Amino acid sequence: MTGEFRTPAGGRIDRGQPLSFSFDGKQFTGCQGDTLASALLANGVHLVGRSFKYHRPRGILSAGSEEPNALVAIDRDAGRVTPNQRATQQELYDGLRSSSQNHFPSLAFDLGAVNDALAPLFPAGFYYKTFMWPRAFWRHLYEPAIRAAAGLGRAPTAADPDRYAQHFSHCDVLVIGAGPAGLAAALAASATGARVMLCDEQAELGGSLLAETEVGIDGKPASVWLSETNSELARHPDVMLLPRTTAFGWFPDNMVGLVERITDHLAQPDPNLPRERLWQVRAKQVVIATGAIERPLVFPGNDRPGVMLADAVRTYLMRYGVKVGTRVVIATADDSAYAAATALREAGVSIVAVADLRPEPSEIARASDMPVRAGTHVVATRGRLRITAATLSSGEIVACDTLLMCGGWTPSVHLFSQSRGKLRFDERLGAFLPGQSAARERSVGACNGSFALTACLEEGYAAGDRAAPPRRFAVTGARDSQHHAAPRPAATRGKAFVDFQNDVTARDLHIATREGFRSIEHVKRYTTTGMATDQGKTSNMNALAIVSDMLRRPIPQVGHTTFRMPYTPVTFGALAGTARGAMFEPVRHTPIHDWAVAQGALFEDVGTWQRARCFPRDGEDMQTAVARECRAVRNAVGMFDATTLGKIEVVGPDATEFLNRLYTNSFTGLAPGRCRYGLLLNEAGFVMDDGVVARLSPDRFHVTTTTGGAAGVLHHMEDYLQTEFPELRVWLTSITEQWAVIAVQGPLARQVIAPLVRDIDISPEAMPHLSVREGRVCGVSARLFRVSFTGELGYEINVPADYGAAVWEAVFAAGAPHGITPYGTETMHVLRAEKGYIIVGQETDGTVIPADLGLDWAVGRAKPDFVGKRSLTRPDMLRPDRKQLAGLLSPDMLEEGAQIVADANVPVPLPMLGHVTSAYWSETLRRPIALALVAGGRARIGQMLYVPMPDRTIAVRVTDPGFYDKEGKRLHG
């Protein structure tokens, strides 16, 4: 026996295994099978926390994941402190350390409770009304104070030491909820040979059957039927049982997110086990059997410790062997509360009054020998840290230590709604139920409005196997209550709470509607009703009823708020999985990376790649190193690691047609062995990516993309191939990581690589600019491109990635007599800017078309069609004042992103003409240069414009964007 409120027998706990635990530093004893909530109640502890806004004493309200009050911090070793854990879901283990939250200096005496006395100053929307003026106070006074007071538990400051796993799975039938309906569905589905997954957020499968002792199913006690059913499912080779697993969200195409808690219930978890596992399950069919949640009543003082949901109290008694009090008042509008009253009285608890809101009690109420007060409701409660009395609408004051309330039941339709199903309102229940489905799902049992045990079992079985004839279950001893919508609460004085966790009262909702809010979503945000971590499970329907009355509109017209995921809070660790620290985002290195590190390269992140930015020598800063590298490429030879460029192989009989439809250029006349610059647009006609397209054979192309755009381009291609051009016989393969790319650029490039190349004639006549050949370089199979992004004679050597480092070193050694210099991305940017070459994402901003960049020559106007062609003819695309690429010459270095104006003397705000896209010191020209997007840029060549800076205004002259070797003589060698 543990705890003074523990029954001498009964329940599903193991009384032979006592467990020691602490709460706020005080030691208690519970039993194996307890939750922290049931163990606290067994020891007479009802006060477990303070409310969010008013710091009112709060106690345990429910027995499940809908709990809004009993949020505690769980403290494990190694700094593993987890705040805001629901005591109703935290399984007890030996040595568990827990503490209450949101109080100072103690739980029993909280100075923050002064807010309760000042409640008239904090009505709905007070935050928006109070802290707007004076504006200067916000940053230094209001915001720090509000942030210090906000929240419930304290967020951990140490890194999470636990491990988390992620797993993808597929099944024929996913059953969510292992109550009677879910178990029956799993039985039926498994009998067909289907692959079945059955999950439930509780530690044991069984749902409401875990608290049943009088019911029989198919001639067996419910507990026996449950045990046999679970054993049968566990033995089935195609059934996976997942207790302690919450279905938290529904995603497209029957993808359901599950979080399985693996070690939170263990005193000494295996360090090799993850704390949680995220399941991403794709199911052919989903059976939703998520049950229903008991609805609180709204009356003044309904939040005191000791005020609980009736069926939760029955669960604590029947499942955990806990009597929550000795003198109990019951306030109800539903028959189900009488089952709790009967069970409590049989356990020796005194039922001192039953306030039944219904003017005409039901048959169950009339048959009861309880002290029923028909047509009566609670108008007030008393007690500081726990309820001591309840005042009834008749004027009667009833002494009690516990008050049970039941305002009916709210079906859990969260997942159904997330599946895009349409809800319907049931007037009898006063709740929303699943209506028209939009996914391959079946809602069964209480979440579908079917509360009778027989109906739950038979409905679940039919959903598990639609082809099977209906199965009849013989249920005995079940008293099927008649559920109806609760009468609306009468107008009373005092704080009548609707949302317990966010301290939202009925008065707050009245204020919101009086102030003009009509949309329930706006009322929700103005009052914060349903915005707490419980997602409004116990508050939303009461809030809708009150707003409906205030607006004098039926609830279906008021509507409902959005059922957002997650159903219950999900740890960031479960969502992140192994993507933490260095694994947060993969860092990709080229085969030449280690060589660059050894040479002292400075690196920058480009997408997920690390690229050498420059190679400074002793005593050089970056500017000096870049200048040296630029001189080397222009005067002799340089080598550059271009491995990160995206590379896609497009293969098939219709490969040419496919590229013609996607790119602005025509590839029909491109001969094998030749390359062409390719420009890719989106449907709006805006530049999406660019690169070199090389034709290797009549049905094979090697397509390059920008480093950051590789994945997007491949996705774009696949999207069109699968949805718009499915008739084309084309196959796409990402080969970005298959090839290492070594760019050798400069006047001496041919002399450097000539001794290394076999089987390829690299003379200017045999291999002109924009050509590709296959052969061997350094004895390795290679694709050799003659292309240049620097404006100099250039080659790009593509070799298998495994040989990349070796070939790089061989090229470096061969170039040593010629003064070869490795250069990085910063140098590459300077060299290409001198030539006026663009970089997509730098010279483009999502609104740029080819003509803006001077790339009209790359648009095949005679082609029948290509993606974006029609958009290029829109009037807005033909305006002469569109922002166009231009060059800028200035006496000083400009800043990228700086705005450009026509007249610096115009008062602020200045009309902006465009902005600087690239700005560099040109070592070749010995002056600053810049590229910019300027309104009507080409027509402004020769004009003076201005770039306002914080300390001065810089005058700039607009030029052609090509600053160097405009004729391209050096490019052709």
Side-chain angles (χ1 to χ4, degrees), residues 147-192:
R147 289 193 180 279
L152 291 171
R154 293 185 179 274
T157 56
D160 187 350
D162 290 310
R163 293 174 51 245
Y164 300 85
Q166 295 184 341
H167 191 76
F168 287 87
S169 187
H170 295 76
C171 63
D172 296 311
V173 181
L174 170 64
V175 182
I176 303 171
L183 289 171
L187 279 175
S190 63
T192 67

Side-chain angles (χ1 to χ4, degrees), residues 682-959:
N682 59 23
E683 290 182 347
F686 300 132
V687 174
M688 176 182 175
D689 203 86
D690 69 346
V692 172
V693 179
R695 191 167 198 167
L696 304 177
S697 66
D699 64 350
R700 184 179 298 269
F701 292 83
H702 179 120
V703 179
T704 66
T705 75
T706 58
T707 295
V713 171
L714 180 61
H715 181 275
H716 180 76
M717 288 182 169
E718 285 284 7
D719 184 23
Y720 274 90
L721 184 59
Q722 295 182 35
T723 62
E724 302 295 330
F725 314 138
E727 76 283 1
L728 298 183
R729 295 165 296 167
V730 179
W731 294 268
L732 307 174
T733 305
S734 172
I735 54 173
T736 298
E737 294 182 344
Q738 178 177 337
W739 298 97
V741 182
I742 303 163
V744 183
Q745 306 275 307
L748 305 181
R750 185 180 294 112
Q751 293 162 257
V752 170
I753 70 168
L756 309 177
V757 176
R758 296 289 181 272
D759 310 325
I760 303 174
D761 183 352
I762 63 171
S763 65
E765 298 77 20
M767 191 176 182
H769 179 57
L770 288 179
S771 57
V772 59
R773 301 291 185 267
E774 293 186 278
R776 304 180 77 80
V777 176
C778 300
V780 177
S781 295
R783 290 177 179 174
L784 182 64
F785 292 74
R786 185 174 166 192
V787 292
S788 173
F789 198 47
T790 63
E792 301 294 336
L793 170 66
Y795 296 88
E796 290 184 1
I797 305 169
N798 287 243
V799 294
D802 288 348
Y803 296 95
V807 174
W808 173 277
E809 292 183 12
V811 173
F812 185 68
H818 304 282
I820 195 167
T821 300
Y823 66 95
T825 55
E826 191 68 19
T827 301
M828 177 267 291
H829 283 304
V830 176
L831 297 173
R832 64 89 194 174
E834 291 174 344
K835 287 290 293 181
Y837 295 159
I838 69 162
I839 290 183
V840 173
Q842 191 157 331
E843 272 64 55
T844 64
D845 61 1
T847 66
V848 173
I849 63 174
D852 299 336
L853 302 171
L855 296 177
D856 263 343
W857 57 266
V859 178
R861 301 286 181 180
K863 290 204 312 180
D865 199 8
F866 57 82
V867 174
K869 180 179 180 180
R870 182 176 59 180
S871 298
L872 295 180
T873 63
R874 292 183 299 167
D876 187 65
M877 303 299 198
L878 305 176
R879 287 182 10 237
D881 62 340
R882 285 186 60 83
K883 291 181 181 179
Q884 298 169 343
L885 184 67
L888 299 179
L889 293 176
S890 66
D892 300 314
M893 282 292 296
L894 302 177
E895 291 186 10
E896 293 179 356
Q899 297 295 310
I900 302 169
V901 300
D903 186 350
N905 297 316
V906 176
V908 176
L910 305 177
M912 303 299 175
L913 296 178
H915 68 280
V916 178
T917 60
S918 299
Y920 308 101
W921 169 262
S922 169
E923 182 66 11
T924 305
L925 304 177
R926 300 298 298 169
R927 65 172 302 158
I929 62 170
L931 297 176
L933 287 174
V934 182
R938 283 192 287 275
R940 294 180 184 272
I941 291 177
Q943 292 182 13
M944 297 300 296
L945 299 177
Y946 301 90
V947 177
M949 302 298 291
D951 57 344
R952 67 194 190 284
T953 297
I954 303 175
V956 298
R957 182 163 57 87
V958 182
T959 70

Side-chain angles (χ1 to χ4, degrees), residues 213-358:
T213 58
E214 305 296 329
V215 172
I217 302 175
D218 289 345
K220 305 168 187 176
S223 58
V224 174
W225 183 89
L226 176 60
S227 177
E228 292 179 353
T229 298
N230 284 338
S231 296
E232 179 181 343
L233 291 173
R235 290 193 303 268
H236 199 291
D238 292 323
V239 175
M240 177 180 290
L241 303 181
L242 292 172
R244 302 185 181 92
T245 302
T246 301
F248 67 85
W250 189 298
F251 302 88
D253 297 319
N254 275 32
M255 172 76 84
V256 181
L258 315 176
V259 169
E260 179 185 9
R261 300 176 298 281
I262 298 174
T263 62
D264 279 356
H265 64 291
L266 302 175
Q268 295 180 322
D270 184 341
N272 295 317
L273 288 176
R275 178 188 175 195
E276 294 177 341
R277 180 181 290 115
L278 175 68
W279 291 83
Q280 297 173 71
V281 180
R282 184 85 67 186
K284 290 182 180 178
Q285 178 75 26
V286 179
V287 177
I288 304 176
T290 47
I293 295 170
E294 195 169 16
R295 201 179 305 168
L297 293 171
V298 179
F299 55 84
N302 62 341
D303 66 322
R304 298 189 192 280
V307 179
M308 302 179 65
L309 295 174
D311 197 67
V313 169
R314 181 171 175 269
T315 297
Y316 285 120
L317 178 65
M318 307 304 291
R319 182 173 173 183
Y320 300 105
V322 174
K323 297 181 291 185
V324 299
T326 57
R327 288 177 56 82
V328 174
V329 170
I330 298 177
T332 184
D334 192 89
D335 285 346
S336 61
Y338 288 91
T342 301
L344 286 170
R345 191 171 63 174
E346 290 176 354
V349 176
S350 175
I351 307 299
V352 294
V354 178
D356 197 321
L357 276 70
R358 297 169 291 185

